[in-house]
Structure formats: C-alpha cells, structure tokens
Amino acid sequence: MPAMDSSEQHGLVAEYSVPILTGAGTRASPASADGPSSHKAPGWTPLLVLAAAVTSLGAALPVGFNIGVINTPAEIIKGFCNASVVAHYEVELTAGQLDLLWSVVVSMFLVGAMTASMTGGWVADRFGRKGALETAMALSLLGALLFLVCKYVDSVEMLLLARLIVGLSSGLTTSVMPMYLTELAPVHLRGALGVICPMGINFGVFAGQFAGLDWLFGNEASWHVLLALFGPLAVVCGVLVPVLPESPKYLYLVRGEEQRGVRELARVRRLPEAHVGDELRALRTANTKEATGQPGRQPEWTLGRVLRAPELLLPVVLVVTLCGGQQFSGINAVFYYSSSVFQTAGLTPTQSQYATLGCGAINFATSVLAVRLVNGCGRRPLMMLSTTTAVVFLSVLGTSILTIKMYSWVPYVATVSVLAYVLVYGLGMGPIPYFIGSEIFDVGPRPLGMALGSLANWGGNFVVALAFPAMQGAIGPASFYVFAAFTTLQFVILKIYLPETKGRDTTEIAYMLRLGFKSYVDKDVKAPQSADTFNNEESP
C-alpha cells in the first residue's frame, strides 16, 4: 500500500494524493512546468458553489418536499381517492379499504426510492454522476406534472404513478448526489459538501410542511398544486445541470477519459491543467494497484463482487448501519407524536401544528450548522454525541408520554424531549449517513456502496412505516424504548468500528478497513502532514 498524504495543500484530489513513485521507491513531488505545486488549497470556487446550489435545490429539496408534504392534506386526498374509485369502478370503499388505499399511496414513494437505490450505482457509472442527477430531475418534473393533472382527470391511478416516479427520483438522488459533491470537493471541504444533500432534504421537508398549511395550499381547491410545487425548481435547475462539471474522478478512473478528467478538475479548482494532471495520475495508480495489484488496469465492480469482497465487509456494514440506523432511530415516530404531545402541553390544534413545523425548522437549522461542525469536529465525535444523547431523549420521551397525565409538569418534559431529540438527531444521525459511504469506499466500488446505503435508508423507512402502526397499537409510547434500543446498538457498532474520516484519504480509509471486523480503526482526527513526512518511506 502506498503511503498516504493527507495534506490538504493539493486541493480536490488531496484525498488521493499518494506518492508518485519513481525508481526504487523515491517520491516525486507533483510539479507543473513552472515548478513545484505550492498553491493553497482551493476553497468554495464559483463552480463548486453552483454545483451545491443546483443539486440542493433541484434534486435534494424535492426529496424532502415529497416526504413532508403528504401528511397535512391527507384527509382531503383520501376523499379524492374515494371519489375517484367510485367514479371509475362504481365501488364505495369502506373506512378500512380507504385506509389501505392511502397506505399504498404513501408507500409507493418508498417503493420507488428503494427500486432506484438498487440501480443507482449502475446509473451513476453508466451515465455519469451528472447524467444520473439529470435523470433524477427529469423524473421529478414528470412526477410534478402528474400530480398537477391527476385531479383534473379524476385519476387515483395517476396519483399512484406520480408517487412512484418521485420515489424513483428520490432514490436516485440520495444514491448519487452526495457522491457527486464529495468527488468534486477538496478534502478540507468534503464533509461540508456531503452535508448539502441532507440540508436540502430537510429544507424540503420544512417547505412541504409549511406549504401544506390550510391557508396556503393544504385545502380542497389547491392540494394538487401543493403536491406539484417543486416542479419549477426541477425545471430551472435541470436547465443549469449541463453547465456543471462532471466528476473528474469518474471520468479519469471509471470512463478512462483522462484528458477530460484533467480539464474538468482544472475547471472546478480554477487552476491550470498542468497543476492537476499529476494528482489524477497518482490517484489512478493508487486505486488500480490497491484493487488489482497491477497499476493501470481498472477493475469492474458489480454488486455481487462488492458483497463478496472481504476487504469491503466492514465498509458495507458501516454504511448499512449508519443509513438504516437513521430510520430505526425513530425520527418519523417522534414527528408523528409531536402534535399530540404539544396539545397535551396546552397548545391548541393549530398551535401544535405550528410547533410541529418548528421541529422541522430545527431539523433544517441543525443541518445548516452541521456544514461547519462536520469539518470542525469530525464525523465520529458527532455520531457518538448524536446517538448517545438520542438514546437519552428517546427514553425520556417514552416515559414522559406514558406518564403524561400523572403530573402537571410532565407534558413540558415531553415537549422538551421532542425538541431536544430533533436537535441532536440533526447534528449527527441526520446528515452524516448520507455522505459517509463516499468517504469509506474507493472510487471503484463507491457507487455501489452508496447505493447500498441509500437502499438501507429507504428500506428502513419502509419497514418502520409498516411496523410502527402495529407497534404503536400494541405498546403505545413504549415504542420509543424500541427505537432507543436500536440506537444503542448503532452506537456500539460505531464506537468499535467507525474510523474518523476527517482529513484522511479515502484510499487510506479503505486500507484501514480491509481486514473486516479484525481491522484496527483510527478514531482520532488526523493532523495535517507536510509532503516531506513521506520522503523517506519505503515503497510498497
């Protein structure tokens, strides 16, 4: 394994800035025609900011919007579904049948998301990261148009199809967008760019909840417009996607388009091509030699190979634990109970609706804060803090709801528990799982690793959506003890096996995890090192 250099001075591909070996193991420093590369690490260049803005608004926001928008106008849309079935099939649905139909309407979104997650890795490699995002935005726009039209043609089938299509768009987005942005980012901005996707999703959830208020669009006359409100953003951002760069790493390593990869990298970093070519060549040497033992030959990754590869066992376990654990932490159940908790604390139904909206605002605000925290504090400390405190607040919330009528002050404890849980969830468990796969997988298996994480996330969402009503009926608020137990298990796994990825090359992280459960993982933030540190190290 080549010695890794985590110095951030080389910018975008510093996460792969491995030594270029010449002769008998001496390290050749990257240099341009003008001399050694001594430029400072690039920051938020205009193209990087544009990529973050376009993907956040055009791809991530619709995902969150379609999650948050469906609850408030539920009774109105149920009435539409019943009327549509009567008109087309001359069948009057019972209350139970209507509830079943509504469950199908809601779950079609999750089915679409899981389906797209399973194919997201293939789409990202076949059509490129940018092409996959264009596809996601096109599907999003198609879904918005179907939402808009379904009321006029009185078609519940069109409503179901629209929910499936926006689900496909969402699964593709969560598989590809974090990977795309982190592959564009300099290593010192990798965490910040990784948080852009969950930040866009959280803002979309908040926007959907706000737009669904009855005095805006959550009423009989405008519910179909409400469901389609994200459509214009998909159009505007879709038009801008061709301006964005393709991932240089994808072009150079996966497609073999080396000159184009260098050119795109130079565009992103606003540097001459001569300053970045050596870094991409070093990246190829490290990845191909690590995967095949033979520099210059690119291996082909399939889902079966990823699942069978012993060196990828721990990365797969970690990404599934993080992404699945996000859903099994009970975040959706907390939002479900929040309205009744607020009403018990003395708020009116209208006030409790706004308080629930406030929870969404807190969730978004913490994701904005996380942009700075993941780079300042590291990923591992935030996940440890988030999971630990979440267990505490879930336990307190379950206990306080069970005893909410026993003492006058208990409703206030429950209210504080809801708000505190949403806050600590947003600091770690909310944002980090979305991009962690792009840091613990090398470029080759990365799309499939991200797809597995996305599948675990949406699959967990689907399982909780199916199981929670039954669990709620059986044990009521004690359900939060179950979510606390799952979160405790997640904490234990991460405590033992999650490395600190901040400041580390992804090749170095992959090497660290190669021994599976026998791996020794470094749990501390790696201090920046100068290139001279590696001058005397042996070659592999």
Side-chain angles (χ1 to χ4, degrees), residues 103 107-111 114 327 332 456-468:
S103 297
S107 62
M108 286 300 284
F109 175 76
L110 301 177
V111 171
M114 288 188 292
Q327 297 302 320
N332 293 327
N457 187 291
W458 292 110
N461 194 330
F462 185 72
V463 170
V464 172
L466 289 180
F468 179 63

Side-chain angles (χ1 to χ4, degrees), residues 129-265:
R129 294 10 176 187
K130 196 168 76 166
L133 290 171
E134 287 177 322
T135 302
M137 292 183 193
L139 289 170
S140 184
L141 177 59
L142 177 58
L145 291 174
L146 292 175
F147 280 136
L148 195 61
V149 172
C150 70
K151 181 181 178 182
Y152 297 110
V153 297
D154 195 21
S155 174
V156 67
E157 295 87 356
M158 187 174 290
L159 176 63
L160 287 165
L161 180 60
R163 288 286 291 174
L164 177 65
I165 290 174
V166 295
L168 291 170
S169 173
S170 299
L172 197 54
T173 295
T174 54
S175 295
V176 178
M177 179 182 159
M179 173 172 58
Y180 170 69
L181 291 179
T182 53
E183 287 182 351
L184 291 182
V187 67
H188 62 289
L189 294 180
R190 197 173 60 200
L193 266 294
V195 175
I196 295 295
C197 180
M199 185 174 71
I201 292 174
N202 289 340
F203 181 70
V205 171
F206 173 74
Q209 292 172 335
F210 183 76
L213 295 173
D214 56 6
W215 57 271
L216 285 174
F217 296 97
N219 50 61
E220 182 69 38
S222 305
W223 65 264
H224 59 300
V225 178
L226 168 66
L227 298 185
L229 278 179
F230 62 91
L233 273 178
V235 173
V236 173
C237 294
V239 170
L240 292 174
V241 168
V243 180
L244 302 181
E246 180 55 274
S247 164
K249 300 171 188 178
Y250 162 75
L251 293 172
Y252 203 94
L253 289 176
V254 179
R255 299 289 295 178
E257 299 178 19
E258 298 183 358
Q259 189 54 45
R260 187 181 167 201
V262 172
R263 189 165 57 249
E264 291 289 73
L265 177 53

Side-chain angles (χ1 to χ4, degrees), residues 235-381:
V235 173
V236 173
C237 294
V239 170
L240 292 174
V241 168
V243 180
L244 302 181
E246 180 55 274
S247 164
K249 300 171 188 178
Y250 162 75
L251 293 172
Y252 203 94
L253 289 176
V254 179
R255 299 289 295 178
E257 299 178 19
E258 298 183 358
Q259 189 54 45
R260 187 181 167 201
V262 172
R263 189 165 57 249
E264 291 289 73
L265 177 53
R267 280 183 66 209
V268 174
R269 293 175 56 183
R270 302 183 75 187
L271 291 171
E273 293 182 17
H275 284 231
V276 299
D278 282 345
E279 296 179 35
L280 281 176
R281 284 187 284 275
L283 165 61
R284 178 183 58 188
T285 300
N287 279 270
T288 54
K289 191 166 185 179
E290 183 69 27
T292 68
Q294 302 176 30
R297 199 178 105 210
Q298 297 292 330
E300 179 180 352
W301 286 95
T302 63
L303 182 59
R305 183 182 173 193
V306 168
L307 293 175
R308 290 193 303 269
E311 69 273 16
L312 295 182
L313 171 62
L314 192 50
V316 168
V317 169
L318 285 173
V319 78
V320 170
T321 298
L322 282 156
C323 294
Q326 184 188 70
Q327 297 302 320
F328 286 104
S329 68
I331 183 65
N332 293 327
V334 170
F335 274 101
Y336 177 87
Y337 266 101
S338 61
S339 181
S340 61
V341 168
F342 294 141
Q343 288 184 49
T344 306
L347 299 182
T348 66
T350 301
Q351 290 172 332
S352 66
Q353 187 179 25
Y354 282 102
T356 301
L357 191 62
C359 289
I362 291 174
N363 201 24
F364 169 65
T366 52
S367 64
V368 175
L369 180 62
V371 173
R372 295 186 64 88
L373 288 178
V374 293
N375 280 337
C377 302
R379 289 52 150 170
R380 181 182 167 85

Side-chain angles (χ1 to χ4, degrees), residues 72-98:
T72 304
E75 293 304 318
I76 296 173
I77 302 177
K78 278 185 181 181
F80 161 78
C81 293
N82 190 38
S84 176
V85 170
V86 171
H88 289 279
Y89 303 103
E90 298 182 352
V91 174
E92 183 77 34
L93 297 178
T94 65
Q97 291 170 331
L98 184 57

